[in-house]
């Protein structure tokens, strides 16, 4: 008998979308360098973007994660949940990148000392003074050059941080098994949206390249405006129902 025919692999929509996007970037560079006439990866050939709502941890779960980590790793949760940094940015964040007096984080590099991918990623992030004091604990305690240090008081790689985070996650009730450090950004976004910040401000704080990315990911978190729109239309209808009032003396409307 001949070999059985291979079954076609079924990839997750998010994986297919990411592959197409990366391929499009490669063709765009090739087109720019004159290697190809045009980019075949257009919007017409693009697969649908995955539609999935991120899991948003509760405040209690965030603090439980914080407390479950070793003291030298607790800044990981603070930077992810309250400043929205990505894990490679967290691992590389230096003391000089944080203005503790003014309360501003300015990401400049990502692990292992590489430039950030976009200029938008370098957008300063304002933080409250209490958070600045908490982030300063490691440098004060160990004299480290980075905000996050490992067990040997030295900078650590994202893999080391993620391993410790995974261990801590297993101790927190209700968190899904696949919950990542990156998912703390979703909590940060939910905080900003619940506080009433507009889309452009949330985009800036998350350092997204476009507001579309922010809306695609977090649009469902904005409060439902149905009642507000109903009230606006009702006001216009009420104006039609109420006859114009004439001035008693002049007779004018």
């Amino acid at each position: 008998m001949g070999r059985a025919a291979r079954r076609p692999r079924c990839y997750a929509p998010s994986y297919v979308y990411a592959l197409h996007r990366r391929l499009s970037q490669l063709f765009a560079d090739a087109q720019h360098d004159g290697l190809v006439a045009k980019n075949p990866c257009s919007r017409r050939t693009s697969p649908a973007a995955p539609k999935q709502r991120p899991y948003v941890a509760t405040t209690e779960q965030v603090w439980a994660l914080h407390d479950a980590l070793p003291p030298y790793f607790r800044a990981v949760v603070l930077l992810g949940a309250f400043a929205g940094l990505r894990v490679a940015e967290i691992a590389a964040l230096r003391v000089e990148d944080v203005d503790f007096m003014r309360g501003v984080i300015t990401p400049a590099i990502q692990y292992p000392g590489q430039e950030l991918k976009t200029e938008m990623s370098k957008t300063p992030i304002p933080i409250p003074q209490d958070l600045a004091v908490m982030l300063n604990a490691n440098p004060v305690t160990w004299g480290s050059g980075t905000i996050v240090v490992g067990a040997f008081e030295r900078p650590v790689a994202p893999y080391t941080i993620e391993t410790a985070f995974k261990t801590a996650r297993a101790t927190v009730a209700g968190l899904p098994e696949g919950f990542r450090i990156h998912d703390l950004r979703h909590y940060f976004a939910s905080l900003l949206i619940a506080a009433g910040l507009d889309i452009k401000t949330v985009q800036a704080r998350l350092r997204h390249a476009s507001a579309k990315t922010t809306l695609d990911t977090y649009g469902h978190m904005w409060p439902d405006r149905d009642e507000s729109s109903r009230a606006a239309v009702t006001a216009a209808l009420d104006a039609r129902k109420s006859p114009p009032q004439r001035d008693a003396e002049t007779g004018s409307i």
Side-chain angles (χ1 to χ4, degrees):
M1 293 179 64
R3 285 187 296 178
R6 290 184 179 179
R7 293 182 179 179
R9 292 184 179 181
C10 295
Y11 294 105
S14 59
Y15 181 69
V16 175
Y17 180 79
L19 284 179
H20 184 277
R21 185 173 182 181
R22 180 57 180 155
L23 186 61
S24 178
Q25 292 171 345
L26 292 174
F27 269 111
D29 289 343
Q31 184 180 14
H32 181 269
D33 294 339
L35 300 177
V36 297
K38 65 178 182 178
N39 184 351
C41 299
S42 66
R43 291 183 178 180
R44 290 178 297 176
T45 63
S46 174
K51 299 293 183 182
Q52 54 186 33
R53 295 186 177 185
Y55 179 86
V56 179
T58 66
T59 299
E60 290 75 17
Q61 288 172 328
V62 167
W63 284 118
L65 278 170
H66 173 273
D67 296 343
L69 285 166
Y72 48 81
F73 274 161
R74 288 175 179 169
V76 170
V77 173
L78 300 178
L79 291 169
F82 304 120
L85 267 65
R86 305 169 179 91
V87 64
E89 297 167 343
I90 291 173
L93 190 69
R94 303 163 299 188
V95 173
E96 64 196 73
D97 299 327
V98 183
D99 188 329
F100 296 100
M101 294 297 294
R102 294 175 53 238
V104 179
I105 296 173
T106 307
I109 58 174
Q110 61 182 337
Y111 187 88
Q114 297 177 341
E115 284 289 316
L116 297 177
K117 292 182 178 179
T118 67
E119 285 300 313
M120 191 65 182
S121 294
K122 300 177 183 178
T123 303
I125 307 164
I127 59 173
Q129 196 62 46
D130 288 348
L131 180 56
V133 171
M134 296 175 75
L135 292 175
N136 202 27
N138 278 358
V140 168
T141 303
W142 289 291
S144 59
T146 54
I147 299 299
V148 175
V149 295
F152 301 101
E153 305 172 14
R154 293 190 300 234
V156 290
Y159 174 80
T160 305
I161 295 173
E162 288 170 337
T163 300
F165 185 85
K166 184 178 180 180
T167 301
R169 183 196 66 209
T171 69
V172 179
L175 283 180
E177 185 177 347
F179 190 84
R180 308 158 301 161
I181 293 172
H182 190 83
D183 293 324
L184 293 173
R185 275 171 60 84
H186 304 324
Y187 174 82
F188 180 55
S190 73
L191 278 185
L192 303 182
I193 294 169
L197 275 64
D198 61 83
I199 179 63
K200 293 299 292 182
T201 304
V202 175
Q203 175 202 347
R205 296 295 174 267
L206 291 171
R207 296 167 295 130
H208 282 154
S210 71
K212 182 180 183 303
T213 301
T214 310
L215 276 175
D216 287 346
T217 309
Y218 303 112
H220 65 283
M221 291 185 183
W222 261 271
D224 190 350
R225 300 298 184 187
D226 285 354
E227 292 306 317
S228 297
S229 62
R230 287 191 183 105
V233 174
T234 297
L237 295 175
D238 288 344
R240 171 64 175 170
K241 294 175 184 176
S242 303
Q245 300 296 316
R246 291 184 177 275
D247 186 282
E249 295 183 0
T250 64
S252 60
I253 295 177

